[in-house]
Each structure stands twice: as C-alpha cells, then as structure tokens.
Amino acid sequence: MIVGIMGGGQLAKMLALAGQPLGIQCLFLDPAPDACARSAGELLCGDYGDEGLLDQLARRASVVTYEFENVPEASLRRLASRGAVYPDPRALAIARDRWHEKRLFAELGIPTPPFVAIDTRTDLERGLAAVGLPAVLKTRTMGYDGKGQRVLRDAADADGAYAALSGSPLILEGFVAFSREVSLIAVRDRFGDARFYPLTENVHRSGVLAQSVARPGDPMTAQAEDYARRLLGHLDYVGVLAVEFFQKGHDLLANEMAPRVHNSGHWTIEGAETSQFENHLRAVAGLPLGATCPVAAAGMVNFVGRLPEPAAVLAVPGAHLHVYGKDPRPGRKVGHATVRAQGEAQLREALARLAALAAGS
Ligand code: AMP
C-alpha cells in the first residue's frame, strides 16, 4: 500500500520509517529538493499547489495524509475530490487558524485562555480591556514554535507588538501563569476506535519544545481524555490528534491542537507499545490500532540548531538517537533522542544528560 504525505520533513520521514515493517510505502510532496523524508521514500518535488503532482499523489496513493497544518485549501480540495484524505480536511481548516480552533474548543465546552480576534489597533485596545494584562498577541495562522507571537506585559508594549504582527489577522489571548504544559496524543481509526497515549509533560524554550516526559497515571489524564474525545467525535477524526494544554491549578486550558503526529509524541517511538507514527498510518490505512501503553519510563529531548556528538548521546543509558538529516540552522529541529528507563530516577538522570548535550555542554 502507498500512503501519500503532504510535506517531506522529519514527521513524514518518521511516518515512512514506521510504515516500512507494515509494507506501507510513503510518497511525499514537498517543494524542497533536499526534503529530509526523501531518504525514507519517494519524493514528488514541487509546489504544494502543483495540480499535476497533486493528481499524481492522489492517483498513486491509496490514502493521503499530511505532516503540517498549512497545506493550501485548494490542494486539499483537489486531493479530496480524487481519493481519501485523512484526517478530514475540516480538522486542518480549523487547526490552522488559532481563532477558529479556540472557537471550536469553546463550542465543545473545552476551557481555553480568554481570547479575542484582533483586526485593527482599536480591537487591540478593546481586547486588552477584555482579556487583561499580561497577554499574548499571536498571528491567527502560520505561527509555530513560538513564531508570530509577542507577550504584552504592560500597555506600552501594545504599539510595538501590533506593529510587528499586524498585516495578518491576529488573536489576543490572556497570558496563563501555568504550573506546567501537557499534551495528549490521541488516535482514532476509521471505525471510531479511539485510544490515548499517557499524558505528556512538556518544557518549551523560546517557544520551541525542548523536552517531553510521559506521565502514565497522571491525575489530569481523565480531564485531558474527556476534552480530546469531544474533539475526535465532533470532527469524526481519523489519525493522530495532539492537543496541547496549560495546567492551572486542577484545570486544563486548551492552547492548540495539531491534526497530525506531534513532536511531544516522539517518545512513543521507543517508549510505547505502538508509536504515534505507526498508529497514525494504521488509522489512515484502515488497519486496527495498536496498543498505546508505555513500555518503560520514557521521555524525549529535542536537538535544536545543532546535533550533539552521536557517541555522546548513545553513551547515555536507554537513549536512542534520531537524526533528521537536515542542515543545522539556529532554531531548526535537527534531531531528537528518546529515552527508555527503569524508573523515574534513571529517566531523570538520562534526560538531564541529554539536555546538557542539547545545550552544547
Ligand atoms: P504556541 O505556538 O501557541 O504553542 O505557543 C508556544 C509557547 O508559548 C507555548 O508552548 C507556551 O509556552 C507559550 N504560550 C503561548 N500562549 C500562551 C499563553 N496564552 N499564556 C502563556 N504562555 C503561552
């Protein structure tokens, strides 16, 4: 079976690697001739709107999926008119726009930070009066890894933040003094079977995910699963869905969702019975899902901007190295290490050693 993937980055590459033992080949569409997934499958190199390539992808693949949110709508429509596309493009249309996303959360009774759509400077004044300070001004679309957002600590920050971001539709959110950030990786198959990985605790640096730790049995699990289940059902979702939350007291506030495999689920490659990548493929291909239970204490450290020495990473007990094959650049994710450990103490020690390697020490 061939699965088509819009995008040829590291997520597409890891999907393709997970597909190989199942006899699933992945075919990627990506404009970059050196897209890193090409080492794991065939690359159709061209624009995401190239009708000839879209038609080729739809014709050759049994089903098409995607590894990023900003696939052009016209391309999705074209693909969907020619074959199966999972998750449903409706999920993508909502997830790519922070305002639509938060409106859906609110509609489904999923708590969020306070938020207001901002189109003009006057809206921002009104928004600040409604949301209060501190607040975060974000672009509604195309923002990722903390890009396209500014924190407003006092009223004097408003002009600068607005000048930096206006030009695209914006959203103002209340700044949440969270105790921690967690995400839930959910997966649902074509027949409605939904499963959840253990809640994952995440640490971000400069808006970019630095470290994730799986927290099986976490007391916030039931709340997170309840919210994710509402989204999966409402969207008649097929595939992996990641939902990111801020925890404040005993409440979870939804920050965003990603209708795809997610960085905070990378620990599942070695740390869970079935990885998020394999389960996403199983779901979109109409195959039964695999168990989502952890096989050990597990976590992940991202390598951003540069890769540490492979030998130093692999010398850490329980560590597994994943190199994406991308040219190192400041702020760019170039690889990660997962850890599988015998208990919390060993996990903590391994993660600390890997974090020091990631930081270059
Ligand atoms: P995002 O692109 O929305 O995931 O934001 C990236 C990171 O910025 C988040 O993981 C948080 O660490 C931080 N952040 C975003 N929005 C807020 C908020 N409303 N309150 C506090 N921190 C935030």
Side-chain angles (χ1 to χ4, degrees):
M1 174 190 264
I2 296 181
V3 171
I5 303 182
M6 291 295 277
Q10 68 266 21
L11 300 179
K13 178 177 179 175
M14 289 185 273
L15 282 166
L17 292 173
Q20 281 171 4
L22 305 180
I24 293 175
Q25 291 171 313
C26 290
L27 178 64
F28 320 105
L29 173 56
D30 193 295
D34 60 349
C36 75
R38 68 176 311 161
S39 64
E42 186 184 337
L43 174 67
L44 302 176
C45 187
D47 194 85
Y48 290 123
D50 184 315
E51 295 184 350
L53 291 180
L54 289 167
D55 291 351
Q56 200 189 138
L57 191 70
R59 193 175 60 246
R60 291 176 57 193
S62 308
V63 55
V64 173
T65 187
Y66 33 81
E67 63 143 21
F68 69 113
E69 280 90 328
N70 295 310
V71 178
E73 278 202 68
S75 304
L76 282 171
R77 271 199 304 276
R78 193 171 183 100
L79 288 167
S81 71
R82 282 158 173 74
V85 177
Y86 293 120
D88 189 293
R90 199 162 53 106
L92 200 87
I94 293 168
R96 81 164 101 229
D97 182 320
R98 292 181 190 276
W99 189 70
H100 287 309
E101 187 174 68
K102 289 209 163 61
R103 292 263 302 198
L104 176 64
F105 292 153
E107 189 189 317
L108 297 177
I110 301 169
T112 66
F115 65 96
V116 196
I118 305 290
D119 293 318
T120 64
R121 183 67 181 78
T122 317
D123 287 347
L124 182 55
E125 282 316 309
R126 286 202 202 105
L128 283 169
V131 158
L133 282 163
V136 192
L137 187 62
K138 302 179 178 179
T139 55
R140 278 171 53 174
T141 59
M142 304 298 274
Y144 66 100
D145 285 347
K147 293 184 178 63
Q149 53 182 275
R150 292 281 187 289
V151 177
L152 282 72
R153 305 231 166 250
D154 57 62
D157 294 335
D159 277 333
Y162 187 75
L165 301 177
S166 64
S168 40
L170 303 174
I171 183 172
L172 183 73
E173 298 175 7
F175 184 90
V176 181
F178 52 77
S179 55
R180 60 177 185 155
E181 292 186 83
V182 295
S183 58
L184 189 71
I185 309 292
V187 60
R188 184 172 180 270
D189 71 13
R190 289 197 197 178
F191 316 101
D193 180 19
R195 300 187 183 193
F196 305 94
Y197 288 93
L199 200 66
T200 302
E201 201 175 291
N202 302 311
V203 177
H204 292 81
R205 275 201 199 92
S206 312
V208 182
L209 182 66
Q211 186 172 309
S212 297
V213 182
R215 289 273 165 239
D218 190 280
M220 302 310 290
T221 301
Q223 204 178 114
E225 289 187 3
D226 171 27
Y227 296 153
R229 216 180 271 284
R230 294 183 204 186
L231 289 163
L232 294 173
H234 178 83
L235 296 165
D236 192 16
Y237 196 87
V238 176
V240 164
L241 174 76
V243 192
E244 293 184 73
F245 299 98
F246 302 130
Q247 182 175 348
K248 201 175 168 200
H250 295 293
D251 296 319
L252 294 180
L253 304 178
N255 176 33
E256 60 181 354
M257 65 177 185
R260 54 171 169 79
V261 287
H262 192 257
N263 196 170
S264 67
H266 289 2
W267 65 266
T268 64
I269 302 175
E270 279 86 16
E273 177 82 23
T274 316
S275 78
Q276 63 163 348
F277 299 100
E278 179 173 340
N279 258 340
H280 183 75
L281 288 177
R282 289 191 190 206
V284 302
L287 298 167
L289 297 179
T292 49
C293 52
V295 294
M300 181 228 55
V301 170
N302 261 346
F303 299 132
V304 181
R306 54 173 287 284
L307 267 180
E309 274 303 314
V313 173
L314 296 174
V316 176
H320 299 262
L321 177 61
H322 296 262
V323 175
Y324 303 156
K326 293 168 27 175
D327 288 336
R329 241 188 263 143
R332 193 178 207 202
K333 293 173 184 168
V334 288
H336 70 266
T338 65
V339 185
R340 209 157 69 176
Q342 305 301 319
E344 180 72 16
Q346 208 184 85
L347 179 66
R348 285 281 154 215
E349 190 188 329
L351 290 172
R353 280 179 66 182
L354 291 167
L357 291 171
S361 51

